Amino acid sequence: MTESDVTSQQHDAMQRAARDHLWMHFARHPASGDGGEIPVIVRGEGPYVYDSAGRRYLDGLAGLFTVQAGHGREELAQAAAKQAAELAYFPIWSYAHPKAVELAERLAALAPGDLNRVFFTTGGGDAVESAWKLAKHYFKLTGKPAKHKVISRAVAYHGTPHGALSITGLPGLKAPYEPLVPSGFRVPNTNIYRAAEHRDDPEAFGRWAADRIEEVIEFEGADTVAAVFLEPVQNAGGCFPPPPGYFERVREICDRHDVLLVSDEVICAFGRLGTMFGAQRFGYTPDIITFAKGVTSGYAPLGGMLVADRLFEPFRGGTEMFAHGYTFGGHPVSAAVALANLDLFEREDLTGHVLRNRDAFRSTLERLRDLPIVGDVRGDGYFYGIELVKDQATRETFDDQESERLLRGFLDKALYEAGLYCRADDRGDPVVQLAPPLICDQGHFEEIEQILRSVLQEAWTRL
Ligand SMILES: Cc1ncc(COP(=O)(O)O)c(C=O)c1O
């Protein structure tokens, strides 16, 4: 028994307290007296986590696309403790502290192009919010004050603050909070599996999808459009990689209309796709990168945006300030952890590890295509979605009731009980999402495949 193992009395007490007091995020809560257990995770080690009953799970989602370096990394914990003892907190409001300075310099050196300025936030939604505000402010200061609208893709998730939620393309998440910030416009995503046109021609599909962005810019008027927000690989809906040529064309369109290209890399940065930033994986240079999650491997909260030099120019040396900030933005402890995390990335060559193993991850997951319920296996690096269908040949998907029964009623729980923590998501068509810690190798891929295989087989018999 380790220190973090809990007795059965502690376990019961924790269940009661969780039920009575904890408001879990994006979660349905059981009615009081309702039998189901709330999973309580008490510790982690490498790619595994352990619950309060002592059971072990492979962390197939790196927590929430976050724990790149794996769990239980002593050196990241030490970095946090050392910084808390030295300078636990100081704001970066008109002041600096060494770790924020060092981290900004280091991220700028890693980023593509001239994205040399770092604005820290506390997480991803705040980073997206900041990017929209910066885009509006920048154009107001540079003689194009009407540029304020933003374009993003259907089903994409960009966070929960009101602005970021306006950019999010998931109507179900937005409805309870309407009216949101006006001026968000949606274009199709790059779901080629369900494309109505060019399904068999990825280049043509990429051109078609990119051109939808130009269509909206022209329809709305380029003088009113400030920015396009795109993930390198879109998460929500189940991992939509960009078709070949897509980002190249989007970049051209943005340049033609003086619209900022924001690469929302809250998931895709820090090795998830085998490169430090997702834009590098697909060879484009955005104007802004938003990041969070993996920058600290989740050992402390941090987010931010990396900004191209020209966007900072109006704020340099004059009287203008970006009237925006967060008490905990660039927190010293988080910045210290991020630096230690980047050291670890270098020492263990985590991006190289992903590049060396990504084909094996793909081919191991591809084996699941022999199951009739598996319609598509797609993704990149260590980031995959497995779309579930009723009929492989026709790609027929599940209706709402079936989805409810399959995902919420069975899959999530069955995968977890079988020892795999991951997510069955139905924000688009039903998918199982996978994004394991970057330290995983073939042994872990096999474990993921075997658990998925047996649970998906069982799911099929229940349909
Ligand atoms: C692409 C993207 N943007 C923004 C966010 C919001 O980040 P956070 O939950 O840190 O606010 C997320 C969260 O998963 C995300 O995936």
Side-chain angles (χ1 to χ4, degrees):
M1 185 155 161
T2 71
E3 231 178 280
S4 54
D5 284 340
V6 292
T7 64
S8 68
Q9 279 135 323
Q10 285 168 330
H11 172 84
D12 293 348
M14 195 133 52
Q15 283 296 320
R16 259 197 315 278
R19 219 171 273 281
D20 291 347
H21 300 291
L22 182 66
W23 199 326
M24 293 178 288
H25 294 202
F26 281 109
R28 294 178 181 181
H29 284 70
S32 39
D34 208 354
E37 282 243 321
I38 293 172
V40 178
I41 302 299
V42 295
R43 77 185 168 90
E45 201 179 313
Y48 294 99
V49 291
Y50 296 80
D51 72 6
S52 51
R55 286 184 295 251
R56 190 180 88 155
Y57 305 88
L58 181 58
D59 182 356
L61 210 55
L64 204 52
F65 313 95
T66 294
V67 190
Q68 319 295 72
H71 298 273
R73 292 299 196 125
E74 197 57 36
E75 66 197 271
L76 301 186
Q78 297 287 352
K82 185 163 176 287
Q83 183 59 42
E86 196 173 295
L87 177 70
Y89 176 70
F90 212 77
I92 48 174
W93 296 38
S94 298
Y95 284 76
H97 58 76
K99 292 296 190 279
V101 175
E102 203 184 321
L103 181 60
E105 185 182 33
R106 194 138 168 210
L107 291 172
L110 292 168
D114 68 343
L115 277 69
N116 291 317
R117 185 64 55 169
V118 185
F119 184 95
F120 287 116
T121 67
T122 55
D126 294 343
V128 169
E129 193 78 11
S130 304
W132 190 0
K133 287 179 81 172
L134 175 62
K136 288 165 82 172
H137 199 160
Y138 167 77
F139 283 120
K140 281 193 171 52
L141 293 176
T142 53
K144 296 186 176 177
K147 272 186 170 291
H148 68 286
K149 296 175 185 169
V150 284
I151 296 170
S152 57
R153 296 185 292 200
V155 198
Y157 179 79
H158 292 284
T160 51
H162 268 77
L165 195 54
S166 286
I167 297 172
T168 289
L170 291 153
L173 292 192
K174 298 158 82 143
Y177 313 106
E178 297 284 1
L180 290 172
V181 183
S183 314
F185 295 85
R186 227 64 56 218
V187 291
N189 55 44
T190 58
N191 183 358
I192 194 166
Y193 180 68
R194 298 217 168 269
E197 294 179 54
H198 311 300
R199 212 183 254 187
D200 302 317
D201 185 346
E203 272 94 1
F205 177 65
R207 278 196 300 280
W208 174 85
D211 287 348
R212 302 289 68 74
I213 294 174
E214 185 154 46
E215 196 170 68
V216 173
I217 295 173
E218 286 174 344
F219 188 76
E220 288 301 312
D223 58 333
T224 69
V225 180
V228 179
F229 284 73
L230 306 172
E231 290 167 89
V233 174
Q234 178 174 324
N235 174 44
C239 266
F240 305 135
Y246 176 77
F247 273 110
E248 202 182 331
R249 198 167 179 93
V250 171
R251 181 70 268 181
E252 282 166 21
I253 291 167
C254 287
D255 288 344
R256 193 155 44 240
H257 299 286
D258 197 12
V259 167
L260 304 183
L261 173 54
V262 182
S263 192
D264 183 357
E265 308 206 0
V266 168
I267 289 180
C268 291
F270 305 106
R272 181 57 54 204
L273 307 179
T275 45
M276 268 321 219
F277 292 98
Q280 291 157 332
R281 166 73 181 91
F282 300 112
Y284 64 95
T285 305
D287 300 294
I288 300 176
I289 287 177
T290 50
F291 64 88
K293 295 184 186 273
V295 65
T296 60
S297 278
Y299 283 69
L302 185 68
M305 56 174 173
L306 272 147
V307 174
D309 285 339
R310 78 184 162 100
L311 302 183
F312 182 70
E313 256 338 284
F315 300 96
R316 184 197 288 279
T319 51
E320 279 308 335
M321 73 167 177
F322 184 36
H324 183 62
Y326 300 95
T327 297
F328 287 148
H331 192 284
V333 172
S334 303
V337 171
L339 285 164
N341 187 46
L342 293 177
D343 288 343
L344 189 154
F345 261 74
E346 264 176 35
R347 203 181 52 251
E348 299 187 4
D349 186 21
L350 277 191
T351 52
H353 179 77
V354 172
L355 291 177
R356 285 188 294 278
N357 289 279
R358 63 184 177 181
D359 292 345
F361 188 37
R362 175 187 288 275
S363 55
T364 308
L365 294 178
E366 292 264 1
R367 285 189 217 146
L368 295 166
R369 283 184 186 274
D370 67 353
L371 302 176
I373 197 172
V374 171
D376 198 18
V377 177
R378 56 180 179 251
D380 200 83
Y382 273 24
F383 185 29
Y384 274 82
I386 297 173
E387 181 162 339
L388 308 179
V389 290
K390 247 159 68 169
D391 187 319
Q392 267 183 340
T394 63
R395 305 187 182 189
E396 185 186 353
T397 192
F398 302 94
D399 63 30
D400 288 349
Q401 261 185 352
E402 289 164 334
S403 241
E404 175 74 24
R405 204 154 37 89
L406 178 72
L407 297 187
R408 298 221 167 72
F410 174 70
L411 262 182
D412 261 337
K413 200 156 169 269
L415 287 167
Y416 185 69
E417 276 170 5
L420 177 63
Y421 162 73
C422 64
R423 197 155 76 163
D425 187 34
D426 66 348
R427 292 179 293 181
D429 295 302
V431 284
V432 176
Q433 296 173 303
L434 293 162
L438 308 185
I439 52 170
C440 284
D441 57 25
Q442 188 59 36
H444 307 111
F445 306 156
E446 296 286 344
E447 198 176 333
I448 290 171
E449 195 267 346
Q450 277 155 29
I451 294 175
L452 281 173
R453 176 170 294 279
S454 70
V455 172
L456 291 177
Q457 271 167 339
E458 166 76 16
W460 184 249
T461 63
R462 286 168 172 252
L463 279 172

